[in-house]
Amino acid sequence: MKNIVITGSTRGIGFSMATEFLRAGCNVTLSSRGEAIAASIRKELSPFEGKYIYVPCDVREKENLQKLWDTSVVQWGEIDIWINNAGQNTTRMFSWETDGTCTENIIKTNLIGMIYGSQIAATGMLKQGHGAIYSMEGLGSNNMVQPKTILYGTTKHALTYFMRGLAKELEGTNVIAGRLSPGMVLTDFITKTPDGKRSELFSDEKFRKTFNILADTPETVAKYFVPRILKNLKNDAQIAWLTNRKAAWRFMTAGFRKDRLI
């Protein structure tokens, strides 16, 4: 039985992973910026009462992340797996048009928050003698440049570099670092802008076509990730759902498939 901490885990792929870990018999700490989780989430998690806790955490603040670690250790005794999943998407516009607040939120959440979380988890895991740290990759991690999303892509490119570097720094210890690569997932990152409005991407016919070929639901990706995370013992591992081979096959068979998400 593993003890898991996931940042940004009350919706999307974070919540789906939390649910899958619980189904696998793990103890899970969920977190997000809200002071409490919604009644609908509590209802969904009711079969796992006593196997999870919720800790409010704004990953932009290192003190919040330290509290997340400390509270989880008090509850579970030790932490086996820490997942930096919390993220902030970007308004789809040119980088020079993006205001300062949005720019800072993206960098602080996706990059600084991930670094803070990794620092705290590494310190605690080295002290306890074992553990695994994972961070969520995204557009930009694979060097792809997509205009009007380059602030987000920059943070994910840096995330990949940091996690690969962290893995090197952890060599020779009983703590490992790795990356989770989900590909295209139907979440609020795709469907909504940071202010909660419907994303303009849905008016782009080319995007809709590509998305329907390559994308999956959070539940599908989580079911792939979780057993592999639990089994992985390799440092610097990348657990990737949408591989190049899988993407090529989907394009080849697109005309025969009817599973459309949008």
Side-chain angles (χ1 to χ4, degrees), residues 48-248:
F48 310 107
E49 200 67 42
K51 299 290 290 181
Y52 78 90
I53 60 171
Y54 174 78
V55 180
C57 179
D58 183 343
V59 300
R60 296 173 297 181
E61 304 294 335
K62 192 171 186 178
E63 295 79 5
N64 279 212
L65 285 157
Q66 187 64 61
K67 180 181 178 182
L68 177 61
W69 172 273
D70 293 342
T71 304
S72 299
V73 169
V74 169
Q75 178 69 25
W76 310 124
E78 59 183 16
I79 305 304
D80 299 294
I81 298 170
W82 175 286
I83 301 177
N84 294 304
N85 174 69
Q88 174 73 52
N89 65 342
T90 181
T91 303
R92 194 166 183 267
M93 60 176 58
F94 291 117
S95 58
W96 61 85
E97 296 175 337
T98 308
D99 65 40
T101 299
C102 184
T103 299
E104 288 185 12
N105 282 339
I106 293 167
I107 295 171
K108 287 181 177 179
T109 303
N110 296 1
L111 184 54
I112 297 177
M114 178 275 301
I115 292 173
Y116 283 160
S118 298
Q119 290 173 332
I120 288 167
T123 299
M125 288 176 175
L126 287 168
K127 184 177 180 180
Q128 71 184 16
H130 68 92
I133 305 165
Y134 293 93
S135 292
M136 192 69 65
E137 292 187 317
L139 178 66
S141 289
N142 62 353
N143 297 322
M144 180 182 291
V145 176
Q146 180 67 45
K148 296 187 176 183
T149 62
I150 67 170
L151 291 175
Y152 177 86
T154 296
T155 63
K156 291 300 182 179
H157 186 81
L159 177 149
T160 297
Y161 178 90
F162 178 85
M163 291 304 296
R164 295 189 68 183
L166 179 62
K168 284 188 175 294
E169 292 184 339
L170 290 170
E171 286 177 358
T173 73
N174 287 324
V175 180
I176 62 174
R179 292 159 286 134
L180 305 176
S181 181
M184 301 181 75
V185 186
L186 184 63
T187 67
D188 287 350
F189 266 62
I190 297 295
T191 62
K192 296 179 181 180
T193 61
D195 58 4
K197 296 180 180 178
R198 179 179 171 85
S199 173
E200 65 180 63
L201 287 171
F202 286 90
S203 62
D204 186 326
E205 184 175 348
K206 182 179 179 181
F207 169 81
R208 290 201 310 273
K209 182 178 180 180
T210 302
F211 187 84
N212 280 324
I213 292 172
L214 297 179
D216 292 281
T217 64
E219 294 80 8
T220 297
V221 179
K223 287 178 181 178
Y224 179 86
F225 275 165
V226 167
R228 287 162 178 80
I229 293 171
L230 291 173
K231 291 179 182 178
N232 180 56
L233 299 175
K234 180 184 175 183
N235 191 26
D236 198 25
Q238 183 199 44
I239 301 175
W241 163 247
L242 185 64
T243 61
N244 290 336
R245 183 177 180 180
K246 187 180 292 182

